């Protein structure tokens, strides 16, 4: 922590700050400059972080030196984490994992049809929402537990890993019982109680970046889950909110290498929610793999015209199949597998 | 709903869309232009809204005509709603309501001290967090139910309306039992299950705009609460996330008149979280009142140096007292009271 | 400047950096911490600022301590600058200066009509564009020199200060010859050659903040003008680009007190371009005065239906007149004049 | 153009609008709905676009149907444009064109050294700034004409296409005389006079997207150049401004397929300015090629520690060389060449 003093800071003010630092058990290093005096406090920043040093008289600004996360950081674990999703599927290794499926589970035949279609392309993970976060209270809100049962049946039948979103602390037990991977949606990335609750399970959690969250905040949310003891966290970049209006969100591909530099956690890319239009999903999916993502999550629907949610951004199986071929060629070119 | 067709749309494609519109019980109006054909579907848009018309072959874009919210809208109720917060305090009328207090309830003596200080300035609403949404799992998370009890005791003792945040669907009953107004924080604005849960109570709800939410989405979240039967919703503008780095968030004062044009709900401004620095709270508070807000919520702390949360943006009582005098003069100048 | 080293920085790397700092004539202060070593370089940062220290091996991050601007800063001049616009009008003092007029000068009778209407409300500054920055090459581009002549005639006739935009380095001489205040538009805030060119004149310059510029960058652009010797700079907040879509831009009222804390330059607010809709201009104008702006620039048109540019956001004289009355009451309430 | 009327629009108001539409030579189609009346005006929107219909009494909103650009659009030219940069280099075809070089031209030996290094990797285009847009007036502003001469000498000597930025309308002739491709920087994307000026030449222009510009506005700026007669325009995505702080800008890879859907113009990606850190340039460069860009522009410097500008984001030749190998493999995998 670096404390920069105002040019007009008095001696008493400086001493008051130094004393505060010492009381907290830390050692201040004062450096007198020509235009500013600074106090360096190099050591465990946590105790200082909760002290509002900026309100101390004479302080101009406070610059943190250390990152506020620990368990998610590269310093905690040097090599990348490989997370076991069950059914023989692991994420974080050489093989990039593709997840596919509809936005919402609508009924069993449709889900089975979609699952079969993507399995044929080599996909081993099926996603589908049973609890749907919808902007409007009048939109389809998902089938709830019935949807989870359908997902489990289809997953078991086809030996595919299942992913579904959990939105409510009260539903964590229920969702954990049916699915292989629990998804925390972008709108719940800072629903801290939900993070704590999934942190108490040992189920893999796929944590989507919030629309208005920087990468470091996404890591802090992962830290919440890990600090509860659940180290099976997969990050997901799905686009952030910007002024650009030709896509639903702006896919921030830089988030992938940035997260890889800061953290050992695997990270996947969701091109469907970023694009918001199926015609852009392919290019973004390919960019996601190339930029270093450990996987992708793509919306696929056999009848997008009838989809109850997000049909606009769903690929039909034939397009998905072509995309998978392209992705395989790219994966190979960059030394990965698909 | 206006459906704009691509210049190369075939007759079959157009007929396919027209049929779909008719199947949904609506009447399409086709207008042939020189460069584009459009299909106007004027009527209840809700059934069309859930149909992903953009994926129909031949469609270029779909333009909604009607707003997706009903109960919150000016068309539903022409005059502004006045909401009774209890203890004789009403919001939405001529009198602008100032709410003050610490970010987090730390202990009873401190809260009482702060409550007394602001009451002396004419404030009748005390806020304080018992459940705190903190970015880091290692930060102070609030006193929980103990905090709510302290808040209730101080509120009852000084006859002040109490406001506190609820973050978890499981806590709605608990929080509702202790406080007069439940706050939904910015990070939970689209925690739809939480919105539904508070919608089932009849307690006033203060709904903060999400950092990445447009005004219309904030209204949709209010619609969630109201569609559950709870019409006692107060909106709160508290700044949005932008690239500007000299404030914690960018206070979007325009949101106040925009919300007033679209909705009958009262709206308040939170200058403290927008500014993130106490030195900017005063100007933003004054701007908030002038722009038409029905109230303000301001962080006040008697000892900001020791505050466990957000001390940097808290006003001390003497500064708060001066601000209240200025606010009164402004309120009078614009024909309101404080 | 604080240089934070990586935990794995070698001794050689540290020495290489220290040497570089010394070669630049500065004194490094090394502080060894438990988790990081930092090197404080307190002194004239300018020489370091141009050295890409982040690329030196072993460096984790570089934190600047001093602001990069000088002439615009509060440290350079403690009291606020008062700038003489001519014709007895000064900005930066107790009196807030209102500027009004059409977006574009269309013809002499219309401009005179508008000028007379606002003069009647007590306005002493008329604005009107002769060179118009239009998004489309097919839109009306302004009358050019003919417009400037009209503006000058009307200004002289009614003894009003004139403001008009200059967009091209080649036109600075021409515009300076006709108008009292040259405007640099938001899109040209970082047109550095244009800034240099107006910096060579002594004409007052009204510098609009860029849509994607932070306050500090706006100050840096003012520094360009001042470093050329022209100290007559007036800043203008006119809204920034965000994801919110109910206004053309998001008026960042915080920019006013932030600029006042950092700089001695006067700052005005443009509610018309921020709002993009005349119905929101009033509330934003009032917020602008309250938050501490030294003036406002408002679009007024006698026949907005026929305006060749920005008619949607123009007030008609009767609305403008009512607004002026409200602004006067507010100004008085906060201890200013209008 | 669709005109949506307010529910309370009077018959007179509707007639007034219809009349206006007819006066402009267009045919209105009125559709009466249950909740709203709309007027469709399908035909040349340009005349309507300049009329501020939103201010007409009774109008709720106005929805444009047609894009405002013509010459840049896919409808104007179906197949992608291939632009001849001279010296046998063409952009827009199967071969992706890599451009490399320093941010600023510092001296002839350094530029030659860099040019030789990248030429060895198969690069045929050298970039280097002679006129530098710098945020601070105290930073190195470029060598001016001397820099252009150096660039020309090196380009001629090594038979490489040269690219350099033009910032000032007065310099267009000068820059055009020395370089093969003129660059319009992000800060000048809406410097409309500069766009008009380069539009009068026939030199290829590389137009960088503004930090706060949507893709459609970038196309409008290209339209400015093309409407002057210069059809040799290359778009460049270089990152937009968002709240994310781990990169200098947020590279919007979606802009590439979006631009390809709307326009026939080639588009390249600048990973260096987007990343702002050399360690992220590689992943972004690879994502750029994969997403469909027709080329890349990458900062390369032999001695980044001594670079006078943007050293932090420059690759050294050995890293650049590795990257080129990876890019070649990716290009091949997606059916392109490098």
């Amino acid at each position: 922590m670096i404390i920069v003093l105002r040019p007009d800071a008095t001696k008493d003010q400086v001493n008051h700050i130094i004393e505060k630092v010492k009381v907290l058990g830390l050692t201040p290093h004062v450096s007198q400059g020509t235009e500013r005096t600074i106090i360096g406090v190099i050591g465990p920043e946590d105790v200082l972080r909760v002290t509002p040093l900026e309100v101390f008289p004479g302080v101009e600004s406070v610059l943190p030196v250390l990152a506020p996360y620990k368990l998610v950081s590269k310093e905690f674990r040097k090599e990348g984490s490989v997370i076991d999703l069950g059914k023989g599927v692991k994420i974080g290794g050489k093989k990039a994992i593709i997840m596919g499926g509809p936005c919402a589970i609508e009924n069993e035949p449709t889900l089975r049809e979609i699952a079969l279609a993507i399995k044929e392309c080599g996909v081993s993970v099926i996603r589908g929402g049973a609890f749907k976060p919808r902007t409007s209270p009048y939109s389809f809100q998902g089938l709830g537990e019935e949807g989870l049962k359908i997902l489990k049946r289809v997953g078991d039948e086809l030996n595919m890993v299942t992913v579904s979103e959990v939105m409510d602390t009260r539903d964590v037990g229920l969702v954990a019982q049916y699915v292989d991977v629990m998804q925390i949606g972008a709108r719940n990335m800072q629903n801290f109680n939900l993070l704590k609750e999934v942190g108490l399970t040992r189920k893999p959690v796929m944590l989507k970046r919030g629309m208005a969250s920087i990468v470091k905040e996404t890591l802090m949310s992962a830290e919440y889950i890990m600090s509860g003891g659940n180290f099976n966290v997969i990050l997901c970049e799905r686009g952030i909110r910007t002024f650009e209006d030709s896509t639903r969100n702006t896919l921030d591909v830089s988030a992938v290498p940035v997260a890889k530099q800061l953290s050992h956690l695997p990270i996947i890319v969701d091109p469907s929610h970023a694009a918001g239009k199926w015609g852009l999903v392919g290019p973004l999916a390919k960019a996601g793999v190339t930029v270093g993502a450990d996987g992708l999550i793509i919306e696929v629907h056999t009848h997008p015209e009838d989809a109850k949610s997000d049909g606009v951004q769903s690929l039909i199986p034939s397009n998905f199949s072509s995309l998978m071929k392209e992705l395989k060629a790219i994966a190979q070119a960059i030394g990965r597998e698909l």
Side-chain angles (χ1 to χ4, degrees), chain A residues 112-131:
Chain A
R112 182 171 291 110
E113 188 182 32
I114 297 168
L116 277 165
I118 61 173
K119 195 184 160 123
E120 220 164 78
C121 305
V123 170
S124 51
V125 185
I126 172 93
R127 62 75 50 93
F131 298 105

Side-chain angles (χ1 to χ4, degrees), chain A residues 59-225:
Chain A
V59 173
E60 184 170 281
S61 62
V62 177
L63 310 168
V65 166
L66 300 178
Y69 41 82
K70 296 174 205 316
L71 304 172
V72 302
S73 75
K74 256 287 170 60
E75 295 181 31
F76 177 75
R77 187 186 281 176
K78 283 219 152 53
E79 68 282 15
S81 285
V82 175
I83 292 168
D84 192 337
L85 308 183
K87 293 170 181 163
V89 180
K90 287 178 182 173
I91 193 161
K94 195 182 175 189
K95 192 176 160 74
I97 303 300
I98 310 300
M99 311 175 181
C103 182
I105 299 161
E106 291 156 11
N107 57 62
E108 189 157 342
T110 304
L111 187 70
R112 182 171 291 110
E113 188 182 32
I114 297 168
L116 277 165
I118 61 173
K119 195 184 160 123
E120 220 164 78
C121 305
V123 170
S124 51
V125 185
I126 172 93
R127 62 75 50 93
F131 298 105
K132 296 302 308 166
R134 303 302 298 275
T135 313
S136 166
Y138 311 119
S139 298
F140 175 61
Q141 307 273 320
L143 295 180
E145 186 171 3
E146 184 49 33
L148 295 174
K149 285 180 179 168
I150 293 172
L151 182 62
K152 184 166 167 45
R153 277 199 295 271
V154 170
D156 285 349
E157 189 182 312
L158 302 179
N159 193 35
M160 293 176 86
V161 169
T162 56
V163 186
S164 201
E165 179 165 356
V166 58
M167 287 170 60
D168 193 315
T169 50
R170 296 171 300 190
D171 297 332
V172 170
L174 184 79
V175 176
Q177 181 186 330
Y178 287 108
V179 306
D180 297 313
V181 180
M182 288 189 287
Q183 176 181 315
I184 301 285
R187 288 179 177 80
N188 279 314
M189 195 202 84
Q190 293 195 321
N191 181 338
F192 300 115
N193 286 27
L194 186 60
L195 299 177
K196 286 179 190 169
E197 205 68 30
V198 299
L200 297 177
T201 76
R202 293 299 172 266
K203 277 271 168 195
V205 176
M206 194 244 287
L207 174 69
K208 289 198 158 185
R209 178 184 182 184
M211 289 196 292
S213 297
I214 58 173
V215 174
K216 276 171 196 149
E217 288 163 343
T218 311
L219 294 180
M220 285 309 293
S221 287
E223 184 87 14
Y224 257 97
I225 301 171

Side-chain angles (χ1 to χ4, degrees), chain A residues 10-23:
Chain A
T10 66
K11 211 165 168 181
D12 277 3
Q13 290 173 339
V14 178
N15 288 338
H16 177 54
I17 297 161
I18 288 174
E19 216 161 299
K20 180 77 184 181
V21 170
K22 285 182 179 162
V23 162

